[in-house]
Amino acid sequence: FSFSRMGTNLITTIYQERKVLLVVLFLFALFMGSVFLWLLRDVGPEEHRLPTDDYLFLYKPNAEYMLQEGKIPVRSGGSEGGAIVPPGYSFVLLVPFLIASFLQISEFSVIIALNVVILGSTVVLLFLITERIFNRSIALGASVLWATYPLYLWFIKNAHTEIPFIL
């Protein structure tokens, strides 16, 4: 009985079974995002640890308004008219706000968790696209690089409007 042979067989099986490989990539990305948040959540300037002003003063109030009123907020009067910001990210925030309300936890915590899930989803999507264009080996390499890309991992620790739209 050899552990090295068993490990090699397991890796070969994962690599050959596409569905299993996709699940492993998703879990790997979740692991990387979680480890990054656990180790480096509070690293960097204080403003990188806090919700951004556009989140606090634009997107969050718009999402709260949509939940309460059931419609998109629109400024009226004056020459400005229309919404202050497009409603796209505010629509995305509705899901974490509802989950946070249901679970009685911080909205910001749910947004960060959603960012980690989006990281896993982008890794899987990148794999699928790259495999179709190139091959499985290149797709695997690109996916692992994306799951460990420091700048992307840095962005998941806050409520950045860019994260959901990477998908």
Side-chain angles (χ1 to χ4, degrees), residues 54 89 115 118 152 155 159-167:
D54 60 343
Y89 188 60
N115 286 348
I118 290 171
Y152 187 49
F155 270 114
H160 292 288
T161 57
E162 297 86 354
I163 297 295
F165 299 104
I166 288 176
L167 279 174

Side-chain angles (χ1 to χ4, degrees), residues 88-138:
Y89 188 60
S90 298
F91 276 122
V92 171
L93 289 176
L94 294 177
V95 172
F97 281 20
L98 290 170
I99 293 170
S101 174
F102 179 76
L103 297 176
Q104 298 295 310
I105 59 175
S106 157
E107 295 162 346
F108 197 67
S109 298
V110 178
I111 291 169
I112 302 308
L114 180 65
N115 286 348
V116 175
V117 171
I118 290 171
L119 167 66
S121 301
T122 58
V123 166
V124 169
L125 185 62
L126 177 65
F127 177 87
L128 293 171
I129 293 169
T130 309
E131 182 186 40
R132 186 154 182 102
I133 295 171
F134 298 104
N135 62 44
R136 187 166 288 183
S137 297
I138 292 173

Side-chain angles (χ1 to χ4, degrees), residues 46-100:
E46 185 178 349
E47 62 268 12
H48 290 192
R49 293 181 287 226
L50 303 172
T52 58
D53 286 347
D54 60 343
Y55 168 79
L56 289 174
F57 300 115
L58 298 172
Y59 298 109
K60 181 179 180 184
N62 284 354
E64 289 170 341
Y65 179 86
M66 285 189 264
L67 283 172
Q68 292 171 357
E69 302 296 325
K71 58 184 179 180
I72 297 172
V74 177
R75 291 190 301 169
S76 60
S79 60
E80 297 176 28
I84 296 173
V85 293
Y89 188 60
S90 298
F91 276 122
V92 171
L93 289 176
L94 294 177
V95 172
F97 281 20
L98 290 170
I99 293 170

